[in-house]
Structure formats: structure tokens, C-alpha cells
Amino acid sequence: RKEVEQDPGPFNVPEGATVAFNCTYSNSASQSFFWYRQDCRKEPKLLMSVYSSGNEDGRFTAQLNRASQYISLLIRDSKLSDSATYLCVVNIYNTDKLIFGTGTRLQVFP
Amino acid sequence: ETGVTQTPRHLVMGMTNKKSLKCEQHLGHNAMYWYKQSAKKPLELMFVYNFKEQTENNSVPSRFSPECPNSSHLFLHLHTLQPEDSALYLCASRPPGGGNNEQFFGPGTRLTVL
């Protein structure tokens, strides 16, 4: 079983749509959670950290369910510029290790 | 730009060659990482250095040899690679404060092994 599992997509959505990505992780020692964004042929960049109480940054909302070992990312009012691969990432407790999912590809069309 | 630079950006090498990848940051970060990104696979952590000491080696074959002379520089020495080692090699750095801090990635070196 993969340590971090994501639906690879692609998710093809029109501008203005709301889209949600899910992610599950298997290691119960995971302590910190992130969503990174990776544009085509570019490096990953942090989109947002995910906190236990859930958090929002503009059009982006992240949720964490520790009991189910599940993380989600909601994007509202999608823009063309949101087209990218979204990587679910967990940090294992007391280590320097980040474990990446394979990513979910989003394509927003006009 | 994240402030993490990598050279070269592209590298083609034969299986008998020896080459090195270089990563540099002057962000004051103490931890540096090497990752491998292959098509259709998640980023794979290879090595982690914290204050120049190696803290993680993710069962990487010995044909990959990392070197961290100081907190600002990280190298990956390559020798007798295989075609399946062709991938994007990403360097990242992290500020002090623990593994739950953001990592900043360089643009990567796209390696092709013939």
C-alpha cells in the first residue's frame, strides 16, 4: 500500500467550478500535512499547510481528519491559473522526512 | 524563484561516466534534501542533511554519493548509472525548526542516462 494515496486525475473543470481533492495516508506517525503545487516542468511549491481544525487561504480550503487519516483540498471559483498538479505531503513525526503522493492533476478550461 | 539553485539544469551521460549535481542556497537554511522524480511516480526522498550531517539515506544505491560540505551546498556524485536512473533530481532546503517546516525546492536537474 502506498504511504500517501491520491487520485491521479486528471480533473477537467470549467472556470468558476468548485473542485475537491482527497488524499489518504497510512502512517499513523504522520504529524504535519501539506498541499504542494507543481506546475508542468517546474519544481513543487508549498500551497498551504493543513491544520487539524481546517484552514482556509482565499479560494483554497484544507481539511484534516486524523481518525480516518484523510486530507482534502477544496478549490472554489477555479481559475485557468489553477491548472497544475496538486501534491499531498505528510511529515513523519520527529523526522526530516516528507512523504509525497503521486499528485492529482487539475486542468481548468475556459 | 525560491532561492535554491541547481546546476546543471540538464545532463546527458553514459553509463560509464562520472558526473556531479550541485545545489546551493543562501537562505540560512540548515537542512538540505535530494529527491528523485520519475514519470508517474511520487517524489522519492533520497538523502537528507541537517547541519551537514546525513540524517536520512532512503536505501539509495551506492552509485549515488551525496556530499554536504556546508549548510549552503549539497552535491550528488553520480557514477556507473543505469538508464532507469534517468529522472528529474530535485534539491530542497528547509529553515531551522523541524521537519514540519516548508521545504523550498530548486528547479531540478533533468538527467538522461544513455
Side-chain angles (χ1 to χ4, degrees), chain A residues 74-95:
Chain A
L74 183 77
I75 305 177
R76 289 182 300 279
D77 189 22
S78 298
K79 312 289 184 195
L80 295 175
S81 57
D82 294 334
S83 298
T85 296
Y86 290 83
L87 304 168
C88 177
V89 187
V90 306
N91 165 241
I92 307 302
Y93 174 74
N94 211 30
T95 74

Side-chain angles (χ1 to χ4, degrees), chain A:
Chain A
R1 184 183 170 187
K2 292 178 187 173
E3 289 194 79
V4 178
E5 293 216 48
Q6 296 182 252
D7 180 344
F11 284 58
N12 296 306
V13 303
E15 275 186 288
T18 296
V19 62
F21 305 139
N22 302 320
C23 167
T24 56
Y25 59 94
S26 60
N27 192 329
S28 57
S30 302
Q31 77 162 354
S32 303
F33 308 88
F34 312 88
W35 285 100
Y36 276 70
R37 169 190 168 135
Q38 186 171 23
D39 292 299
C40 188
R41 306 190 78 80
K42 297 277 203 164
E43 70 274 17
K45 290 185 179 176
L46 180 68
L47 176 67
M48 60 195 300
S49 300
V50 187
Y51 303 118
S52 295
S53 52
N55 49 298
E56 191 173 301
D57 183 1
R59 298 180 293 108
F60 299 85
T61 301
Q63 298 277 354
L64 167 65
N65 184 323
R66 286 188 186 269
S68 304
Q69 298 188 180
Y70 170 96
I71 306 158
S72 65
L73 177 68
L74 183 77
I75 305 177
R76 289 182 300 279
D77 189 22
S78 298
K79 312 289 184 195
L80 295 175
S81 57
D82 294 334
S83 298
T85 296
Y86 290 83
L87 304 168
C88 177
V89 187
V90 306
N91 165 241
I92 307 302
Y93 174 74
N94 211 30
T95 74
D96 275 322
K97 294 177 72 167
L98 285 188
I99 311 297
F100 285 77
T102 49
T104 298
R105 195 155 69 87
L106 172 66
Q107 184 67 49
V108 182
F109 58 88

